[in-house]
């Protein structure tokens, strides 16, 4: 009698749990390596650190990049795998280490086969990073979904209460300011290990401020908070008391604050609070509009200062009233240019073309200049860099600039770029084989980066010309992908 062979159909649900666990361990390790290789979002790191460690040739613009795009995509491990079938979900949920990043989508049409309470319970007692994020693009206020957004955020924050003691970071990104939780009302617990709290919103819907003054909760007085993104709704609540108690704070972003009849704060009030934070090094004002008028003088240890969509009057007032002896980097995004102090690094991003760069920068005395997405940039700026001052012993404009980054800029002349480099380098003896390490730079350009600008495509001969005259030259044509 012939042997009978029985064929068994293998499905994803028939794999042994032990084998699946090995596969999932491999997927988890791949995710970790991918984050390192591509610098993907890591919630325990500050959400705004694009210029905190100096300028880098491969750096992207902070206001143009959504660092949490991958978290919104639905392919983040283990959530994508747990959605395949109930069996996979059961295997994954038995390993707490997979769930140390808890992601909750506010406006997802397709609901996952597991609820928020389960996700929080699966990590057991491990340290967790929390992300409550919208998935779709910004929309105008007034949408019926706005009510649902507020309700979803409140429900999720309530679920977090018994887990606050093990939260390392909390990142909440919503459409409306009024959907965000109030720190002194909704966060009840002891977040002793919390390092990063980010409250983002697209719009300030100017919800009237509650008249009830919430007392500072004693358990919030001693935390490990290092990075804080603070929305305009919370700012008046915490500026006087709670914020001043965050002595470990290194980075602060103030976001979407506008003065109205029931919700107002003076700039000097903010600056006085900042002065009390001994470890604060990085500060950003993002769409902040406050009342001015003060004769006070403030001192702080800020090293990096970023303005995005802030009035020039506010920037001028900060520079006038604050002594910032440690300040080395100023980043200005979508603002009218104020008077710019002599710091070593200056980043200008998406400046209004009605604000010419030349008058503001011609006497600037910094060494590292980054200009990106500025539609008013052109040959006149290169002409300014290659000419000398009539009243300062023939010194070049921007006399100490030695590092120049040009990124995503409108059309300018390659010929004039070369002429500028040549004239500013006239003191360098290129016959000296050690000129790259011994030559005096500033005004001579040491580093030049031309990144995806509208300039005539460089030939190999052009690139050799630049490499022979600057220590570091980097070029990406418009069609090249960003690194």
């Amino acid at each position: 009698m012939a042997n009978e062979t029985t064929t068994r159909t293998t499905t994803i649900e028939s794999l042994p749990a032990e084998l699946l666990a090995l596969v999932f361990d491999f997927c988890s390790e791949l995710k970790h390596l991918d984050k390192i290789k591509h610098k993907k979002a890591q919630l325990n790191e500050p959400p705004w650190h694009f210029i905190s460690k100096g300028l880098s040739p491969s750096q992207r613009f902070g206001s143009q990049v959504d660092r949490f795009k991958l978290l919104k995509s639905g392919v983040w491990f283990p959530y994508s795998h747990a959605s395949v079938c109930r069996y996979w979900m059961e295997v994954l949920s038995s390993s707490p280490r997979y769930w140390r990043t808890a992601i909750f989508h506010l406006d997802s049409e397709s609901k996952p086969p597991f609820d928020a309470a389960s996700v929080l319970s699966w990590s057991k007692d491990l340290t967790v990073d929390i992300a409550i994020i919208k998935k779709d693009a910004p929309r105008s206020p007034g949408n019926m979904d706005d009510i649902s957004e507020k309700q979803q955020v409140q429900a999720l924050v309530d679920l977090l209460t018994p887990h606050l003691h093990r939260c390392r970071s909390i990142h909440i990104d919503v459409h409306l300011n009024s959907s965000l939780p109030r720190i002194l009302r909704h966060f009840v617990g002891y977040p002793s290990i919390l390092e990063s709290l980010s409250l983002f919103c697209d719009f300030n819907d100017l919800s009237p401020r509650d008249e009830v003054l919430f007392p500072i909760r004693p358990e919030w007085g001693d935390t490990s908070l290092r990075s804080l993104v603070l929305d305009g709704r919370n700012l008046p609540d915490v500026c006087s008391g709670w914020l001043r108690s965050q002595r470990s704070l290194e980075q602060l972003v103030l976001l979407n604050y506008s003065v109205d009849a029931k919700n107002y704060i003076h700039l000097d009030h903010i600056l006085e609070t900042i002065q009390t934070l001994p470890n604060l090094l990085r500060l950003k004002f993002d769409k902040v509009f406050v009342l001015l008028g003060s004769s006070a003088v403030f001192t702080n240890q800020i090293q990096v200062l970023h303005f995005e969509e802030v009035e020039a009057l506010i920037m001028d007032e900060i520079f006038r009233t604050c002594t910032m002896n440690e300040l080395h980097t100023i980043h200005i995004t979508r603002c009218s240019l104020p008077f710019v102090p002599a710091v070593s690094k200056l980043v200008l991003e998406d400046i209004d073309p009605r604000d010419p760069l030349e008058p503001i920068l011609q006497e600037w005395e910094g060494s590292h200049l980054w200009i990106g997405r500025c539609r008013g940039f052109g040959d006149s700026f290169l002409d300014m860099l290659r000419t000398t001052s009539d009243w300062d012993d023939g010194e070049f404009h921007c006399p100490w600039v030695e590092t120049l980054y040009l990124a995503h800029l409108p059309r300018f002349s390659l010929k004039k770029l070369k002429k500028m480099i040549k004239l500013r380098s006239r003191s360098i003896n290129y016959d000296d084989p050690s000129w790259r390490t011994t030559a005096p730079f500033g005004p001579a350009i040491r580093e030049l980066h031309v990144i995806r600008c509208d300039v005539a495509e460089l030939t190999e001969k052009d690139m050799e010309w630049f490499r022979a005259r600057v220590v570091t030259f980097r070029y990406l044509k418009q069609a090249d992908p960003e690194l």
Side-chain angles (χ1 to χ4, degrees):
M1 183 176 180
N3 291 332
E4 294 182 1
T5 301
T6 302
T7 302
R8 174 184 291 181
T9 302
T10 301
T11 68
I12 58 176
E13 294 187 352
S14 64
L15 293 175
E18 295 81 4
L19 179 58
L20 271 178
L22 291 175
V23 173
F24 293 149
D25 281 345
F26 180 71
C27 293
S28 178
E29 181 63 23
L30 283 180
K31 181 186 75 171
H32 176 70
L33 293 175
D34 185 60
K35 287 194 298 183
I36 295 174
K37 180 179 179 181
H38 299 289
K39 301 180 181 178
K40 299 290 176 56
Q42 300 187 60
L43 295 178
N44 58 304
E45 293 183 355
W48 171 72
H49 61 84
F50 297 94
I51 58 173
S52 62
K53 294 182 179 178
L55 302 177
S56 164
S58 61
Q59 135 185 70
R60 289 160 169 81
F61 290 91
S63 61
Q64 302 292 334
V65 174
D66 183 358
R67 298 183 62 240
F68 299 92
K69 183 177 180 180
L70 184 60
L71 300 185
K72 300 176 182 179
S73 67
V75 298
W76 186 266
F77 177 85
Y79 297 88
S80 55
H81 295 63
S83 299
V84 171
C85 65
R86 184 173 184 82
Y87 176 49
W88 281 27
M89 180 186 70
E90 290 173 351
V91 174
L92 285 163
S93 64
S94 66
S95 296
R97 66 185 183 279
Y98 294 153
W99 303 95
R100 296 184 65 172
T101 299
I103 306 170
F104 307 108
H105 295 139
L106 295 174
D107 42 20
S108 176
E109 294 181 0
S110 57
K111 300 299 180 183
F114 36 81
D115 58 28
S118 296
V119 171
L120 289 169
S121 68
W122 291 340
S123 58
K124 303 296 183 183
D125 294 325
L126 296 180
T127 300
V128 290
D129 298 307
I130 306 296
I132 301 174
I133 52 180
K134 63 184 187 304
K135 289 187 69 175
D136 56 11
R139 59 174 183 251
S140 300
N143 191 297
M144 286 298 295
D145 290 338
D146 294 340
I147 298 176
S148 174
E149 178 184 76
K150 298 173 187 178
Q151 294 172 342
Q152 289 181 72
V153 172
Q154 182 58 61
L156 288 169
V157 170
D158 289 343
L159 277 177
L160 280 180
T161 298
H163 303 276
L164 277 179
H165 68 281
R166 61 190 186 96
C167 288
R168 181 174 59 173
S169 68
I170 300 174
H171 175 91
I172 303 178
D173 187 358
V174 298
H175 290 289
L176 298 181
N177 197 333
S178 59
S179 296
L180 289 170
R182 302 285 282 272
I183 291 175
L184 300 183
R185 172 192 281 181
H186 298 130
F187 287 122
V188 182
Y190 183 44
S192 58
I193 66 169
L194 188 67
E195 295 182 5
S196 178
L197 174 61
S198 305
L199 303 177
F200 282 101
C201 59
D202 295 324
F203 299 101
N204 183 354
D205 53 341
L206 298 177
S207 296
R209 185 185 179 198
D210 295 343
E211 295 300 326
V212 179
L213 297 178
F214 306 112
I216 296 177
R217 300 185 182 278
E219 59 266 35
W220 270 90
D222 181 17
T223 71
S224 303
L225 198 63
R226 296 174 50 241
S227 176
L228 174 64
V229 179
L230 188 63
D231 68 292
R233 191 179 186 215
N234 275 288
L235 179 59
D237 289 347
V238 303
C239 193
S240 296
W242 178 86
L243 183 54
R244 297 189 183 200
S245 69
Q246 305 310 308
R247 309 287 288 178
S248 299
L249 200 62
E250 299 175 16
Q251 175 172 278
L252 174 63
V253 180
L254 303 179
L255 172 70
N256 274 332
Y257 177 81
S258 297
V259 174
D260 65 34
K262 293 185 178 181
N263 189 358
Y264 62 89
I265 192 169
H266 285 265
L267 177 61
D268 59 349
H269 191 187
I270 296 174
L271 297 178
E272 183 180 0
T273 295
I274 289 170
Q275 183 175 250
T276 66
L277 301 174
N279 294 299
L280 189 64
L281 304 178
R282 298 180 290 277
L283 174 65
K284 180 178 181 181
F285 292 86
D286 188 344
K287 294 182 279 295
V288 172
F289 303 93
V290 291
L291 298 176
L292 303 180
S294 172
S295 58
V297 177
F298 307 97
T299 302
N300 59 59
Q301 306 300 313
I302 300 298
Q303 295 179 1
V304 179
L305 184 58
H306 188 176
F307 299 103
E308 182 169 346
E309 295 187 41
V310 174
E311 293 178 347
L313 285 175
I314 294 175
M315 292 185 278
D316 285 332
E317 184 78 354
I318 291 173
F319 293 137
R320 183 185 70 82
T321 60
C322 290
T323 300
M324 296 178 280
N325 293 327
E326 304 299 321
L327 185 65
H328 60 67
T329 301
I330 296 176
H331 188 160
I332 300 176
T333 304
R334 290 189 292 279
C335 303
S336 293
L337 287 179
F339 163 77
V340 181
V343 292
S344 61
K345 301 182 183 77
L346 177 63
V347 180
L348 300 178
E349 177 188 2
D350 200 6
I351 302 300
D352 194 311
R354 293 171 295 183
D355 289 330
L357 303 178
E358 297 83 8
I360 297 294
L361 295 182
Q362 64 180 0
E363 303 307 321
W364 181 67
E365 296 184 342
S367 57
H368 296 68
L369 180 60
W370 177 301
I371 303 178
R373 306 184 194 276
C374 293
R375 290 166 292 165
F377 181 90
D379 290 344
S380 58
F381 187 82
L382 298 176
D383 290 339
M384 183 270 288
L385 287 180
R386 68 177 173 83
T387 56
T388 56
S389 170
D390 294 332
W391 59 86
D392 199 6
D393 296 328
E395 190 175 71
F396 281 97
H397 294 299
C398 299
W400 304 113
V401 168
E402 61 178 72
T403 304
L404 183 62
Y405 293 84
L406 306 176
H408 302 270
L409 292 173
R411 192 152 195 72
F412 59 88
S413 166
L414 177 60
K415 181 179 179 179
K416 291 203 171 188
L417 180 62
K418 287 183 174 181
K419 188 173 183 180
M420 182 271 293
I421 295 293
K422 183 177 180 180
L423 288 174
R424 291 180 71 97
S425 303
R426 62 192 180 189
S427 63
I428 294 180
N429 178 15
Y430 289 109
D431 293 329
D432 182 352
S434 63
W435 70 267
R436 295 176 184 273
T437 56
T438 60
F441 292 95
I445 303 297
R446 178 197 299 270
E447 289 189 38
L448 175 64
H449 302 266
V450 181
I451 310 300
R452 301 188 69 179
C453 294
D454 186 6
V455 63
E457 188 169 325
L458 273 65
T459 64
E460 189 60 36
K461 184 177 180 180
D462 292 326
M463 288 189 278
E464 287 300 322
W465 187 94
F466 283 109
R467 292 187 185 114
R469 288 165 175 80
V470 297
V471 174
T472 301
F473 174 69
R474 181 168 175 264
Y475 166 68
L476 280 180
K477 57 187 177 182
Q478 283 188 301
D480 289 339
E482 289 281 8
L483 298 180

